[in-house]
Amino acid sequence: MRNLIPSWIRVPVVFFIIFGAVEFFIDSGEKPAFIEYPAVMLFLLLVLLILIAIEAIVGALENVMLHKLDEAAKARFLAEKEKSFKFTWLKETYKKLLGQKPIEEEGEIILDHNYDGIKELDNNLPPWWLYGFYATIVFAAIYLVRYHIFDGENQFDELETELADARLAIEQYKKTAKDLVDINTVTLLSDASDLSSGKAIFQANCVACHMADGGGGIGPNLTDNHWILGGGIKNVFKTVSEGGRSGKGMIAWKAQLKPSEMAQVSSYVLSLQGTTPANPKAAEGDIWVDENAPAENVPTETTEVVTDSISAE
């Protein structure tokens, strides 16, 4: 076999067989094992060097042997080796897979009948076709047992798994993509960094109407429980985004602020509730109560109460 297959074919084939075995037996997740584990890469490099060294040693021994042979034996050896480089082994394998008789032996398999002088040979089925047919039978049997007897995972199950993974990936992405937030998905932010950013936005854009401490001026007081267009993160976000009452409310900030910035400033505004401003403006609007708030936190004033549904302008 060594004389039939060149070394430049033997080395890669053996190497990739070992490589495939390593990848099969080592669970490395999405990345290949030789990337996930540097020791595996070093092992594969060592295997490759050993294979190259073996080929070099064998080649050197063949040269030593050639020097000890007489001219006739050397010529026969070189001729055989030359044939191997012309892929005679591949040709022989191809002939075996065809399973045909040589032309000189076709007389043994000629059938008795003919059509206008055209005769027919009684060849056997080609081995490649026969083995392929047997392989399909084995595959069908395994498939039947796996998917129809033991109820293996089918395409619908795979689709559901992929959809579940996709939904999870979307949710994970939304956590980091804050600018995808809208009036339906906005939540109250409590991180110090978000509230600090919200405060900076408030001081840059809102103090002229609401004062630095939220006590109110042109705009309403933001520290009490009264809201003109509803309280809570969704209502406040909508008011910041779409603006206040037509003709006398504040402008819509959705053109100047990103969704994440509107969520931050809305959360900061809500953090001002319950604080004591220097010159609080008189309450405007209605008391707003969060339906999900504990009973002890519900205001007791007799003023009209609105719930946490998003208020219409």
Side-chain angles (χ1 to χ4, degrees):
M1 180 63 71
R2 180 173 290 277
N3 289 333
L4 295 178
I5 304 177
S7 60
W8 57 269
I9 293 180
R10 287 196 301 269
V11 171
V13 168
V14 175
F15 174 78
F16 281 109
I17 289 175
I18 296 173
F19 175 85
V22 170
E23 288 291 331
F24 180 79
F25 288 107
I26 296 180
D27 183 11
S28 57
E30 296 181 356
K31 295 181 180 179
F34 72 95
I35 293 178
E36 189 74 16
Y37 305 105
V40 174
M41 183 174 64
L42 294 176
F43 169 74
L44 292 172
L45 289 175
L46 179 62
V47 168
L48 182 60
L49 291 175
I50 291 174
L51 291 174
I52 294 173
I54 291 173
E55 293 297 325
I57 293 171
V58 170
L61 292 176
E62 286 182 353
N63 290 333
V64 172
M65 182 187 67
L66 282 175
H67 288 297
K68 296 181 178 180
L69 296 176
D70 56 34
E71 292 300 323
K74 186 185 294 185
R76 286 196 300 271
F77 178 83
L78 293 176
E80 183 66 27
K81 194 167 185 179
E82 179 66 22
K83 287 181 181 180
S84 69
F85 282 99
K86 292 181 180 178
F87 296 100
T88 53
W89 60 275
L90 185 60
K91 294 177 182 177
E92 293 299 324
T93 303
Y94 176 72
K95 288 180 181 179
K96 289 179 181 179
L97 289 175
L98 288 179
Q100 295 178 340
K101 281 186 174 293
I103 294 178
E104 56 271 14
E105 298 178 14
E106 285 185 351
E108 302 174 6
I109 56 173
I110 294 179
L111 297 176
D112 294 335
H113 56 270
N114 67 78
Y115 302 92
D116 296 332
I118 300 174
K119 297 181 179 181
E120 184 180 0
L121 298 178
D122 188 20
N123 275 313
N124 294 323
L125 287 171
W128 67 265
W129 189 95
L130 200 58
Y131 296 148
F133 178 67
Y134 292 152
T136 60
I137 294 175
V138 172
F139 175 82
I142 295 173
Y143 188 93
L144 175 67
V145 173
R146 178 71 177 85
Y147 293 102
H148 293 277
I149 296 178
F150 293 106
D151 294 326
E153 188 180 59
N154 56 37
Q155 291 178 325
F156 294 102
D157 298 326
E158 292 176 359
L159 176 61
E160 289 300 324
T161 301
E162 291 182 3
L163 289 175
D165 292 341
R167 294 188 194 101
L168 182 61
I170 290 172
E171 292 302 320
Q172 292 297 327
Y173 175 72
K174 285 183 176 178
K175 291 180 181 179
T176 57
K178 294 183 178 180
D179 281 326
L180 288 180
V181 68
D182 58 22
I183 194 170
N184 297 309
T185 60
V186 64
T187 56
L188 183 65
L189 304 176
S190 57
D191 288 346
S193 59
D194 288 321
L195 294 178
S196 176
S197 298
K199 181 178 180 180
I201 297 168
F202 183 86
Q203 291 176 341
N205 302 285
C206 309
V207 295
C209 296
H210 296 283
M211 301 301 172
D213 56 7
I218 299 174
N221 184 351
L222 301 175
T223 65
D224 55 31
N225 292 323
H226 292 73
W227 295 90
I228 298 173
L229 296 176
I233 187 62
K234 293 184 182 297
N235 286 311
V236 175
F237 182 92
K238 179 183 178 182
T239 303
V240 173
S241 173
E242 305 299 328
R245 294 165 294 174
S246 178
K248 54 182 177 180
M250 73 176 187
I251 65 169
W253 288 95
K254 60 185 178 183
Q256 290 89 345
L257 299 177
K258 297 178 181 178
S260 59
E261 293 174 331
M262 290 190 291
Q264 289 169 338
V265 72
S266 299
S267 298
Y268 174 73
V269 166
L270 290 173
S271 73
L272 296 175
Q273 282 193 286
T275 61
T276 305
N279 296 299
K281 186 178 180 180
E284 299 177 78
D286 303 314
I287 294 177
W288 181 89
V289 179
D290 186 350
E291 290 181 340
N292 299 317
E296 61 269 18
N297 293 338
V298 176
T300 59
E301 288 95 327
T302 58
T303 313
E304 184 182 353
V305 175
V306 294
T307 62
D308 64 347
S309 60
I310 297 176
S311 303
E313 293 186 10

